[in-house]
Amino acid sequence: MFANKPTLSGERVTLRPVGPEHVDGLWELVNDPETMRLTGSQGKIDREAAKIWYGSRGDHDDRLDLAICTAGDDAYVGEVVLNELDTHNLSCNLRIALIGPRAFGKGYGTEAIRLLLDHVFATTELHRVGLEVFGFNERAVHVYRKVGFVEEGVRRDVLRQDGEWHNSIMMSVLASDWL
Ligand SMILES: CC(C)(COP(=O)(O)OP(=O)(O)OC[C@H]1O[C@@H](n2cnc3c(N)ncnc32)[C@H](O)[C@@H]1OP(=O)(O)O)[C@@H](O)C(=O)NCCC(=O)NCCS
């Protein structure tokens, strides 16, 4: 479904297929304390593994990994990914993360999600895109609602962070909602 790895241009960002040239940015992203907190990241990856990861995403037609780059100077500021493709039910998962607080709140996330969903719902048979977001991540919940994701339910106490338990919210958008 995702054999075509597009470059998608917006006013604020350009989405490009991830590659080894984006590894410095990925390294900053996976080590940023605030992005790690908001995404509930608990593991560490090493730099060589990050390079292999970005170098090999283009080989997989069951996922779409796009670097979010600023429209002005083409600097990497994050990634938006469609993964967990279910070809029988035409659904997949979306995840997005920006590199850290220096990139938050500038409209990059909103535009990146809209560009990606515009593209996949127009060019593939995909029916449903789901995601899960921690309840404390109010900026992300706001952005997902704003672009059209609908809340489906809550998973209780899925994350333990600094001794506190946190719920996650399940959300989805359907092709019919989008179009
Ligand atoms: C979530 C994320 C992708 C959003 O992208 P972004 O570029 O920062 O968001 P935007 O600038 O496009 O939009 C931010 C919106 O949230 C609103 N906002 C900011 N802080 C908020 C808060 N604490 N509560 C509610 N809304 C908030 C802004 O007002 C803006 O809304 P508006 O456009 O209606 O005014 C980005 O912040 C990020 O990568 N965060 C860290 C990783 C993460 O949380 N990923 C999601 C995991 S599920």
Side-chain angles (χ1 to χ4, degrees):
M1 172 138 2
F2 301 135
N4 170 33
K5 310 293 184 193
T7 295
L8 306 172
S9 299
E11 282 176 21
R12 292 185 167 84
V13 297
T14 305
L15 306 184
R16 300 182 181 284
V18 298
E21 67 276 22
H22 301 123
V23 166
D24 288 346
L26 176 63
W27 190 246
E28 183 177 339
L29 187 160
V30 296
N31 287 293
D32 181 81
E34 187 61 357
T35 293
M36 288 176 71
R37 183 183 75 81
L38 291 166
T39 56
S41 302
Q42 286 160 333
K44 282 265 174 193
I45 58 165
D46 72 36
R47 207 184 155 87
E48 195 51 35
K51 196 169 173 185
I52 291 168
W53 180 256
Y54 263 9
S56 60
R57 293 310 84 199
D59 305 336
H60 299 263
D61 64 4
D62 62 348
R63 54 184 297 137
L64 185 54
D65 299 70
L66 297 178
I68 305 170
C69 302
T70 52
D73 55 6
D74 212 23
Y76 176 102
V77 288
E79 64 167 20
V80 59
V81 176
L82 296 178
N83 59 4
E84 299 173 19
L85 178 67
D86 175 342
T87 50
H88 292 286
N89 298 304
L90 301 175
S91 70
C92 70
N93 176 72
L94 178 143
R95 71 155 199 257
I96 182 168
L98 299 180
I99 204 161
R102 70 181 174 85
F104 297 170
K106 297 179 175 174
Y108 298 156
T110 301
E111 189 173 66
I113 297 168
R114 285 185 173 144
L115 283 170
L116 178 56
L117 295 183
D118 271 344
H119 168 77
V120 292
F121 285 137
T123 62
T124 74
E125 291 183 293
L126 195 69
H127 178 68
R128 174 192 149 89
V129 176
L131 62 80
E132 202 164 330
V133 55
F134 297 117
F136 60 72
N137 195 349
E138 292 174 359
R139 186 191 307 108
V141 172
H142 175 88
V143 168
Y144 294 142
R145 279 195 194 122
K146 183 175 64 166
V147 302
F149 280 84
V150 174
E151 286 173 44
E152 299 180 319
V154 170
R155 292 209 301 143
R156 299 180 302 158
D157 286 1
V158 292
L159 177 72
R160 189 166 63 127
Q161 217 169 49
D162 300 327
E164 297 281 324
W165 291 103
H166 300 281
N167 296 342
S168 68
I169 302 169
M170 293 175 294
M171 305 180 85
S172 72
V173 62
L174 304 181
S176 50
D177 301 331
W178 195 261
L179 301 170

